[in-house]
Amino acid sequence: MHRSRVYAILIDAPAPEAARAAAFWSAALGVPAEPDARYPQFIDLHDALPGLVTAVQAVDDAPRFHLDFETDDVDAETARLLALGATQVARWQECRVLRVPGGHLVCVLPVESPPEIFDAQARTWP
Amino acid sequence: MHRSRVYAILIDAPAPEAARAAAFWSAALGVPAEPDARYPQFIDLHDALPGLVTAVQAVDDAPRFHLDFETDDVDAETARLLALGATQVARWQECRVLRVPGGHLVCVLPVESPPEIFDAQARTWP
C-alpha cells in the first residue's frame, strides 16, 4: 500500500512571459507572488487556491498546466498512474513527469507537505 | 465594488479523448466521474480537489486547462481582468472567455456556488 494526494497546481508559462503571467495571477487572485528560493523557475502564489500550492513555472513550451501528486512511494504511485493509461515522458530530480489520457501533464514527487497535512488528506491505494 | 472567487478548474481535453481523460482522472483521484446533466461537454469529478469544482470538458482544441472565476458582476470582473492584461477572446452564454498573460484561459461567469460559500470566500474588489 502507498498514499498520494494532489499537492500543487502549476501554471506553466513560456519563459519570456512567466514574470508577466505571475504578476497577472498575483493581482487577479489578490495574493503575493514570490520567486521560489530553491528553484528560480517557480514563482509561488501564496494561498491562491484553497488547499493547493499554486505557482507559475517558466517553461520552454506552450502555455499549459500540470498537477503535482505527492506520494510516500514514487515508484508505486508512478506504476499506478501508468496502469491507468499514463506514459512517462521525463524524469527531473526525484520527480517523474507523466502524460495522462487527454494529453495533460502530471508530476509524481516525494511528499512535500507537512506530515500532518499529508497524513490527513492523502488517499491510500492498494 | 464587486466580488469574485475562483470557483472551478476545468481540465479541457480534445473531444475524442475526453471520456478516456475523465476515466483516468476519476481513477487517479479516487472520485466519481459523472456527466453534467445540463451541459454534456462537461464530466464532473466530484470532490476531486479541495474547495474547487473540478471537471473534464470536451473541447475542439489541444489539451489545456482553464479556471472559472465566479462573480456578482461579470462586467466589472471582466473589466478588472482586462485592466490586468487579459484580452477577451469569446463569449459563451453569460460567460466571458479571456486569454490572460502567459497564454492561459480564464472564464468569468455569474455566481454558481451556494450563496454562503460565495459570501465566505469571495474577494471584494474596489
Side-chain angles (χ1 to χ4, degrees):
Chain A
M1 293 205 305
H2 74 282
R3 293 177 295 165
S4 73
R5 67 183 282 267
V6 174
Y7 155 70
I9 176 170
L10 279 294
I11 300 168
D12 296 330
E17 297 175 45
R20 207 169 140 253
F24 169 82
W25 286 103
S26 173
L29 301 174
V31 298
E34 287 180 18
D36 188 289
R38 294 179 301 169
Y39 302 109
Q41 73 270 38
F42 295 107
I43 304 171
D44 295 324
L45 297 166
H46 292 284
D47 297 321
L49 297 173
L52 284 175
V53 169
T54 310
V56 170
Q57 182 182 207
V59 297
D60 183 20
D61 200 355
R64 65 184 195 204
F65 89 117
H66 76 264
L67 294 180
D68 280 350
F69 285 57
E70 62 177 355
T71 177
D72 55 8
D73 187 333
V74 170
D75 286 338
E77 179 67 356
T78 299
R80 185 178 78 88
L81 298 177
L82 294 179
L84 295 174
T87 55
Q88 183 168 323
V89 295
R91 290 182 75 142
W92 183 72
Q93 298 191 356
E94 291 180 275
C95 308
R96 313 290 175 85
V97 182
L98 310 182
R99 190 169 302 281
V100 307
H104 303 87
L105 293 177
V106 157
C107 291
V108 179
L109 65 164
V111 176
E112 287 273 331
S113 298
E116 62 274 17
I117 290 180
F118 185 77
D119 288 343
Q121 299 187 13
R123 297 282 299 245
T124 300
W125 308 104
Chain B
M1 293 203 306
H2 74 281
R3 293 177 295 166
S4 73
R5 66 183 281 269
V6 174
Y7 155 70
I9 177 170
L10 279 295
I11 299 168
D12 297 330
E17 298 174 45
R20 206 169 141 254
F24 169 82
W25 286 104
S26 173
L29 300 175
V31 299
E34 288 181 16
D36 187 290
R38 293 179 300 169
Y39 303 109
Q41 72 271 38
F42 294 107
I43 305 170
D44 295 324
L45 297 166
H46 291 284
D47 296 322
L49 297 174
L52 284 175
V53 169
T54 310
V56 170
Q57 181 181 207
V59 297
D60 183 20
D61 199 357
R64 65 184 195 202
F65 90 117
H66 77 263
L67 295 180
D68 280 350
F69 285 58
E70 62 177 357
T71 178
D72 55 9
D73 188 332
V74 170
D75 287 338
E77 180 67 356
T78 300
R80 185 179 77 89
L81 298 177
L82 294 179
L84 294 174
T87 55
Q88 183 168 324
V89 295
R91 291 182 75 141
W92 183 72
Q93 299 190 356
E94 292 180 275
C95 309
R96 314 290 175 85
V97 182
L98 311 182
R99 189 167 304 280
V100 306
H104 304 86
L105 293 177
V106 157
C107 291
V108 179
L109 65 162
V111 176
E112 287 273 331
S113 299
E116 62 274 18
I117 291 181
F118 185 78
D119 288 342
Q121 298 187 13
R123 299 281 300 245
T124 300
W125 307 105

